[in-house]
Structures are given as C-alpha cells and as structure tokens.
Amino acid sequence: MKEIKQKIEALREELRQHNYNYYILDEATISDYEFDIKLKELQALEDAHLEFFDANSPSQRVGGAVTKNFKTTVHDLRMYSLDNSYSKEDLLDWETRVKKMVDGDVSYTCELKYDGASISLTYENGKLLRAVTRGDGVQGDEVTANIKTINTVPLQLKGDFPKRFDIRGEIVLPIEGFLKMNEARIENEEEPYKNPRNTASGSLKLQDSAEVAKRPLECLLYSIVGNNLNIESQFDGLEKARAWGFKVPQEAKLVHSIDEVLEYINYWDEHRFNLPFEIDGVVVKVNNLHQQDELGFTSKAPRWAMAYKFKAEQVSTRLNEITYQVGRTGAITPVANLEPVQLAGTIVKRASLHNADQIEKLDIREGDEVFVEKGGEIIPKIIAVDLTKRPVDSVPTQYTTHCPECNTELVRLEGEAKHYCPNYMACPPQVIGRIQHYISRKAMDIDGLGGETVALLVKEGLINNYSDLYELTVEQVIPLERMAEKSAVNLVNGIEASKKIQFERVLFALGIRYVGETVAKKLAKHYKSIDALMFASLLDLVTVDEIGERIAQSVVEFFNSEENKQIIERLKSFGVQLEISAEQLVGQTDKLKGQTFVVSGVFETISRNELKKLIEDNGGKVSSSISSKTTYLVAGEKMGPSKRTKAEKLNIPILTEAAFLDNLK
Ligand code: AMP
Ligand code: ZN
C-alpha cells in the first residue's frame, strides 16, 4: 500500500514538472507520447486506489466535472478596476498626482494589458483552492473545475510560497489556438468565433469542463494579494510568482522614470502584433508597495496604477473592387479588394463584406475611400465610408445577381443572409470544393492527394465528383503537371486505402450541408447504414437526438437528388464503407433503447467513460443532468449529494454499478 502511494506521488510530481517545462518554460524534455503513457499509468493507479484521490492531481486536467450553476463567491480582497488613459498628457498628469502623494523617487513596473477575462486564484498550502471570476469586483462566480483544465494554472506550487494568498491574472486565448478552433468550426460549417477575448471569457462559463479542456487557453498572472506575503515590490512579486510556477510574461519591465514608461508604451504599440496573444494596452504600476499603500484606492480603482489603452488601429484606403467568392456549399461571400495598406502589423489587401445587407447598410461602393479596422477581430473589416471623398460619378452597389464562376442566377432563401449558387452539379468551386472536402484530413484523409491536384484533375476532366476518384489510374495521373510516377502511385494507393475509412467519416466526407463531424457520428450510429439513412423521412430524422429541422431538411434534399443517388451507388460498388462494420457492431444492442441515464460518481470495475459508452452501444442515451426525462441514475462512489436528492425528489430509480451491469446481461 505504501509503495503504491509513493508511486502515485512520484508520478504526480514527475508529470507536474513536465507540465511546467512544457507550458511555462516552453522547453519540453519528453515527447507528448511519453507524457501520455505516464499520465495513463497515473490514471490507472488512481482509478484502482480511490483512497489516494487528490483534486489537484495532474490527472484532473482533462476535466469532466459538469457545473450547472456556478456558485457566487465573495473575494477575500476586492478586485478593482483600472483607471484608463489615452494620451501622454493623461500619463504625465497621473505622474504629477503620484509624486504629490508619496515621498522619494518613484519606479514603475510596466506590464502588458492582456485582453481576456480576469480571474482570481486562491492558493492554500501550495494547492489551488478555488478560482473565481471578477464579477462585479466584490463577488464573482466560482469556476474552479474549468480553470483546473488550463495547463498554465499550477495545481501545486513549487518553492517557498506563502501559506495562503490570492493571485490575479487574465485568461487569454492565444491567437494561433483561436485560429485553429475557427478553422475546425468553418470546416464543420459552424459560425466562427468572433474574437479571442469573447471566446476566452465564454469558455469560463461552459458547464462541461471537458469542453474547456479542449480549448488552448492560458492564464497570465500579474498580481499577488494577501497579508504577510514578504513581497517588497510589484516587480518582486512577479518574479516570485514565476518561481512558484506561474506564467508571468517576460515582457514586464521595471523602469525608473515616466520617460521610460512612454518608451515602453511606444514600443508595444508598434510591436504588439508580434505577440502570441492580444493586448489592448499597457498597465503602469508604482513599483514600491509602501508607496502603493500611501496612494491607496479610489472607490473603483487603485491610485497607484494606470492603464494606457491603445487605439484600435484604423486606416483609410481605396476600395478598388467588390468581387464575389463561391464556397463549396455554393454560399456567396462578397470581398472588398483594397488598395494595399499597412494595418496592425500586416499588409491588408482584402476585407470581408459579409453579405448584401451589410453593403447596403453602410452604402459601400466601388471607388470609395473606406475606413478599415482591425480590432478584436482577426479579419479586417470596413467600418465606414469617407463620404467627403466619394467620387462624383459614384453609383450605388448592385449586388451580383449571377454566380461569378458559372453565371447561374443566384437564389436567396428566406431568413438567410447569404445568396447561393444553385448550380450544385456544375459550378466549379462547388464541384472542386466538395471533392477537396471529401479527401480532407478529418474526412477520408487521402494520403498523396492535395487540394491543388484535385482542382487540376477536375479541370483536366479526369474527375467530376468524389466517386470518380476510385477509377483513376496511374497512367491517367502521370501526365499531370509536376506529377512523378512515384507520386502518381502514392495517389492511387491513398485513394484505395480510403475504402477502409469508417462509415461515420464517409458520411461526413459526403459534404451534406450542416452535417459536420458530430452530426455525422450521430446519424451513423442511429441509422447504421446509408440505405437506412436514405429512406429516412423528415419526421423520422428529427426524432434522432440533436437532429433539428434544418439538418433533417438538408439530409432529405441531399438524397432526393438523382445525381447524389448515383454517386452513392458508385461508391458502394467500389467498396467504400457505407455501413457500420461488423467490428463496430460487436457489443451493440437495442436493449436500452428509449432510456436515458445519468452517470455520476466513481466506479469500481469500469471507468465512467466506459460505462457511458456501454449505455450508448446498447441504444441508451446519456445525459449530464437529472430531469423528469431521466430513466435511471447510475451511482458510483463519491456521487454528489445534490444529484441523489434531486433523483429522490423526482422519483428516479438509482442503480448501483453492479445492478446496472447485471440488468444489461
Ligand atoms: P478594465 O477592465 O478596463 O477596468 O481593466 C482592468 C482589467 O484589466 C483587470 O480586471 C484585469 O483583468 C485586466 N488586466 C490585464 N492585464 C493586466 C495587468 N498586467 N495588470 C492589471 N490588470 C490587467
Ligand atoms: Zn456557380
């Protein structure tokens, strides 16, 4: 027993150190794979020995806890706001006020003003006790389960830390991670997130912490508060926090005059776009904590700190031409082609115009001088027209009526903001786009075939839809530009190999509008074969969990098309997986059909995820919260008392693990 405890603790310590190396120091010393192996080993030991459970174990980062209502919590020490300044004069005035109130020289810590959601973390004996949002400054929401999933938040501190303290920081979503999340959403035809800040703050209030764990959030720390902390100055505090394992950006700088503060501001106003995360300004703090004490607070902000806010960068340039892009689903997006101009660290040539209504609302016309802004949004947008510069012969924009690629008349469905090209079968970007989607990584993942080659194959008349891929021969492909024999062979082999891809991914690959990865999984699971899905009526489809009318309509339309039916027949004849394979069906029954389960607590012979899968494999549904629709609550050890009370109140039978497994037999 003692050895096991030691083993668990050693693994936790080791993983903590690797986590720190990777996320804080940015210097990994083992591979992701090795890390995963060690983590799995720890999880297995912890699952087998619940007596050694630790809420701050590195294994807890994957999330899983679901919070319905976040508890309102009063901050031990109030979270103040900051006073803002927008000019050099504002800052000089502030310096004068400071110097009047304190004796001696004044030094300043300059920090970046991270643009995210503020958070207060409480640590006791080196362990994360709770995490609370700023709220109104006096009280906020406790979001500990979500915050624990963020890798830059240490769950266990290192070194010589005070017994209890609060540390404040900002939860941000670095730009690269934000763009990746949006790529995935666009691929699934979901509305992309607007900007990193809103996405970060929205993440804190997600109910399912496992969802939060999937987002590449970071926590950047900037201030320690508490009593008897043995900290001399703001800068000293930052360095100590770093030593205890927190992520404190290295850009923070100690300076000794307001001129140096201004230099810092100018530098970052220009270089902020090279940072991996967004900032909206700089925060200047009087460094010495005794001086801070003397200065104190106004009713809303410290007198010893001042934020300097950058202006959202804006330029004016000429709009040369409005063109229209056609997506793989036929959706038309108007694009502003601009006279190239320097903005926010990059050269901007294009801006999105969204749709016809947007153009009309701002009365944007070709030849106009327009104001372009890159604020929180990554893609620049036109915010206004400079009417004083409008040419005399300017005419209002007539939104295009025909497809720029195939000249078919566009349609606009009721309630939709976008126009569509209805030439599904022959509009080149749609034809090419669908095949490109089919071969993409998350769909059929065809090795040796890229998007450009697809376009070439279509242009050469070698393929017209994705089923044609399976008839391509090496001889046909070799004459294509830049195609050596070896790559031609790889291409054909890659296509052949895709015949093994599972049905749910094939279904996603077909590119049915609104059928993203998750929906495809649901449909594959429910219908089990393309034939069953093809026969499903609208009414039948909407009874499937999470399938709404919009999706159902689109599925029915897809299979109503003769062309699509033929394509599917051909895919079938080539041996593409159009039903769930026998292997996948093993262990699948309808025994629990129509029943909804809530699973809670820790189990003995099976992990919670295995239990959930067992329910789903047998036709049951797993839900995260108890309601009158719940059939059974499956209760393990350590189940929260509120779940039990709720189940009893609603008269929902509670099953033990053993009883559940018995029933299933
Ligand atoms: P405001 O929301 O404009 O009142 O600005 C105050 C907020 O700025 C604080 O609540 C923090 O969340 C945020 N902030 C970002 N970076 C810093 C920093 N380096 N120091 C202090 N506050 C910061
Ligand atoms: Zn078209």
Side-chain angles (χ1 to χ4, degrees):
M1 238 10 186
K2 210 165 145 214
E3 285 109 76
I4 290 174
K5 184 160 187 234
Q6 278 169 355
K7 175 84 191 157
I8 289 181
E9 269 161 12
L11 273 169
R12 283 177 183 159
E13 191 47 47
E14 201 188 337
L15 288 168
R16 239 172 244 138
Q17 185 62 39
H18 286 310
N19 213 55
Y20 175 78
N21 293 347
Y22 188 92
Y23 291 102
I24 310 286
L25 301 183
D26 210 2
E27 278 171 18
T29 51
I30 61 169
S31 69
D32 292 357
Y33 177 74
E34 287 168 294
F35 185 90
D36 276 348
I37 300 273
K38 285 186 198 293
L39 183 61
K40 291 226 171 78
E41 191 184 347
L42 173 62
Q43 280 166 333
L45 283 171
E46 287 181 342
D47 282 350
H49 296 277
L50 295 173
E51 65 274 26
F52 302 135
F53 175 82
D54 178 356
N56 286 328
S57 164
S59 62
Q60 299 300 304
R61 294 218 187 258
V62 292
V66 173
T67 318
K68 275 275 147 184
N69 294 304
F70 295 99
K71 194 169 94 193
T72 307
T73 305
V74 178
H75 297 292
D76 285 351
L77 293 160
R78 180 170 162 187
M79 285 181 90
Y80 283 90
S81 176
L82 288 170
D83 283 333
N84 287 323
S85 58
Y86 298 91
S87 67
K88 190 176 152 188
E89 289 68 42
D90 289 351
L91 268 179
L92 293 175
D93 287 349
W94 174 66
E95 186 209 19
T96 313
R97 291 199 300 277
V98 166
K99 292 221 156 145
K100 260 193 208 146
M101 287 182 72
V102 300
D103 295 329
D105 292 340
V106 183
S107 298
Y108 304 93
T109 299
C110 299
E111 292 164 40
L112 302 178
K113 189 166 188 298
Y114 321 115
D115 202 9
S118 34
I119 194 79
S120 180
L121 310 174
T122 304
Y123 283 82
E124 206 171 68
N125 299 320
K127 289 189 188 298
L128 174 66
L129 190 67
R130 61 175 202 204
V132 182
T133 64
R134 179 164 112 173
D136 62 4
V138 176
Q139 53 182 36
D141 291 320
E142 193 188 323
V143 291
T144 317
N146 287 346
I147 293 299
K148 269 191 188 173
T149 68
I150 300 173
N151 286 301
T152 37
V153 173
L155 302 179
Q156 166 72 57
L157 303 181
K158 320 184 304 157
D160 188 18
F161 43 77
K163 196 163 157 33
R164 183 181 167 116
F165 64 94
D166 284 0
I167 184 162
R168 269 109 197 231
E170 197 85 355
I171 307 292
V172 300
L173 186 52
I175 295 164
E176 197 187 316
F178 171 76
L179 293 176
K180 275 211 187 112
M181 281 174 67
N182 266 352
E183 261 173 42
R185 286 183 75 84
I186 291 166
E187 205 167 294
N188 283 330
E189 289 187 51
E190 291 162 323
E191 189 68 23
Y193 294 114
K194 261 209 144 141
N195 59 51
R197 180 182 22 126
N198 290 357
T199 317
S201 65
S203 304
L204 298 192
K205 296 298 218 35
L206 290 176
Q207 295 186 342
D208 183 357
S209 59
E211 277 310 305
V212 186
K214 287 186 203 151
R215 301 190 172 185
L217 300 163
E218 286 196 3
C219 182
L220 309 177
L221 284 312
Y222 54 73
S223 138
I224 305 173
V225 294
N227 301 314
N228 307 325
L229 297 177
N230 194 22
I231 292 173
E232 289 295 308
S233 68
Q234 168 64 12
F235 200 74
D236 179 33
L238 295 181
E239 288 185 321
K240 291 214 161 96
R242 233 177 244 138
W244 300 334
F246 292 101
K247 179 144 187 164
V248 178
Q250 297 290 347
E251 288 80 13
K253 189 174 177 191
L254 177 61
V255 304
H256 304 284
S257 71
I258 207 79
D259 285 338
E260 281 180 274
V261 169
L262 292 170
E263 254 172 54
Y264 184 89
I265 289 174
N266 289 338
Y267 181 85
W268 285 110
D269 196 3
E270 194 185 324
H271 291 86
R272 62 182 147 136
F273 303 105
N274 303 332
L275 290 164
F277 44 78
E278 293 194 324
I279 61 171
D280 61 340
V282 158
V283 186
V284 189
K285 300 171 185 172
V286 169
N287 190 44
N288 184 305
L289 294 194
H290 299 295
Q291 290 180 334
Q292 284 195 5
D293 269 349
E294 277 173 64
L295 286 158
F297 296 83
T298 66
S299 61
K300 69 178 254 291
R303 289 198 191 86
W304 44 262
M306 184 56 91
Y308 179 93
K309 291 249 178 131
F310 295 136
K311 289 177 201 68
E313 211 176 328
Q314 213 184 69
V315 287
S316 87
T317 189
R318 206 180 103 100
L319 166 58
N320 290 328
E321 195 191 5
I322 297 175
T323 54
Y324 301 87
Q325 275 177 358
V326 190
R328 105 176 127 83
T329 58
I332 307 290
T333 307
V335 181
N337 295 268
L338 307 167
E339 194 56 38
V341 63
Q342 179 85 22
L343 173 66
T346 52
I347 291 179
V348 172
K349 296 184 192 130
R350 275 183 212 90
S352 168
L353 291 168
H354 303 289
N355 53 49
D357 292 344
Q358 185 75 11
I359 294 176
E360 202 183 305
K361 201 172 104 201
L362 296 177
D363 186 19
I364 297 171
R365 306 178 185 185
E366 288 182 347
D368 272 343
E369 190 74 15
V370 292
F371 293 106
V372 185
E373 188 178 291
K374 200 161 174 180
E377 281 82 37
I378 300 284
I379 302 156
K381 61 178 181 192
I382 293 182
I383 48 166
V385 173
D386 185 350
L387 290 175
T388 63
K389 301 220 176 108
R390 175 166 278 173
V392 280
D393 57 351
S394 153
V395 286
T397 299
Q398 287 292 331
Y399 200 80
T400 188
T401 52
H402 289 74
C403 176
E405 301 278 343
C406 73
N407 215 23
T408 306
E409 193 172 346
L410 300 180
V411 292
R412 186 176 182 180
L413 300 177
E414 233 192 76
E416 299 231 2
K418 293 214 158 185
H419 287 69
Y420 282 88
C421 167
N423 185 12
Y424 181 82
M425 274 299 146
C427 180
Q430 296 187 56
V431 170
I432 295 171
R434 271 199 301 276
I435 306 175
Q436 286 173 336
H437 171 71
Y438 184 83
I439 65 159
S440 65
R441 201 169 41 79
K442 287 186 173 161
M444 303 300 273
D445 192 19
I446 295 185
D447 261 350
L449 179 55
E452 279 176 37
T453 311
V454 167
L456 210 56
L457 288 166
V458 173
K459 285 209 181 92
E460 295 291 322
L462 288 170
I463 57 173
N464 219 338
N465 61 61
Y466 35 69
S467 72
D468 294 339
L469 289 171
Y470 296 92
E471 281 186 331
L472 278 178
T473 62
V474 173
E475 290 71 36
Q476 280 178 316
V477 180
I478 286 180
L480 290 185
E481 258 174 81
R482 282 174 291 151
M483 198 41 96
E485 178 165 351
K486 189 157 166 246
S487 11
V489 172
N490 280 345
L491 189 158
V492 172
N493 286 345
I495 294 171
E496 182 63 26
S498 75
K499 293 180 184 172
K500 294 212 173 65
I501 297 285
Q502 290 187 350
F503 175 47
E504 58 184 44
R505 277 174 62 187
V506 179
L507 196 51
F508 169 62
L510 296 182
I512 305 171
R513 223 169 136 202
Y514 306 129
V515 178
E517 272 181 287
T518 332
V519 171
K521 265 191 200 143
K522 292 245 150 76
L523 290 174
K525 188 159 201 140
H526 186 91
Y527 289 100
K528 304 207 164 54
S529 75
I530 199 102
D531 290 335
L533 180 62
M534 275 164 105
F535 281 113
S537 67
L538 198 69
L539 280 177
D540 188 44
L541 279 158
V542 292
T543 62
V544 181
D545 190 30
E546 281 174 50
I547 304 298
E549 197 139 334
R550 194 179 63 138
I551 301 173
Q553 185 75 45
S554 158
V555 171
V556 168
E557 249 166 53
F558 183 88
F559 291 115
N560 267 345
S561 135
E562 272 316 311
E563 287 98 340
N564 282 337
K565 279 189 209 161
Q566 276 174 24
I567 292 174
I568 305 264
E569 278 315 310
R570 293 191 67 212
L571 288 178
K572 230 188 246 175
S573 72
F574 295 126
V576 173
Q577 305 288 315
L578 290 169
E579 55 184 33
I580 290 193
S581 65
E583 287 152 48
Q584 275 178 285
L585 279 173
V586 169
Q588 301 220 351
T589 74
D590 273 347
K591 275 186 203 160
L592 304 178
K593 200 168 173 179
Q595 306 185 1
T596 302
F597 293 79
V598 172
V599 177
S600 178
V602 188
F603 299 90
E604 229 170 281
T605 59
I606 187 170
S607 80
R608 185 162 30 178
N609 281 337
E610 284 164 350
L611 188 65
K612 286 184 180 170
K613 186 164 179 298
L614 208 53
I615 293 171
E616 284 172 353
D617 283 350
N618 287 288
K621 199 182 139 186
V622 182
S623 154
S624 57
S625 64
I626 298 178
S627 73
S628 56
K629 293 197 188 107
T630 312
T631 326
Y632 291 108
L633 169 64
V634 188
E637 284 196 27
K638 297 210 176 110
M639 181 178 77
S642 65
K643 282 228 163 86
R644 183 173 296 275
T645 321
K646 189 144 187 216
E648 279 165 1
K649 215 160 106 198
L650 293 171
N651 264 330
I652 288 157
I654 303 178
L655 291 180
T656 62
E657 175 182 353
F660 169 80
L661 293 172
D662 259 4
N663 278 1
L664 203 58
K665 275 187 212 141

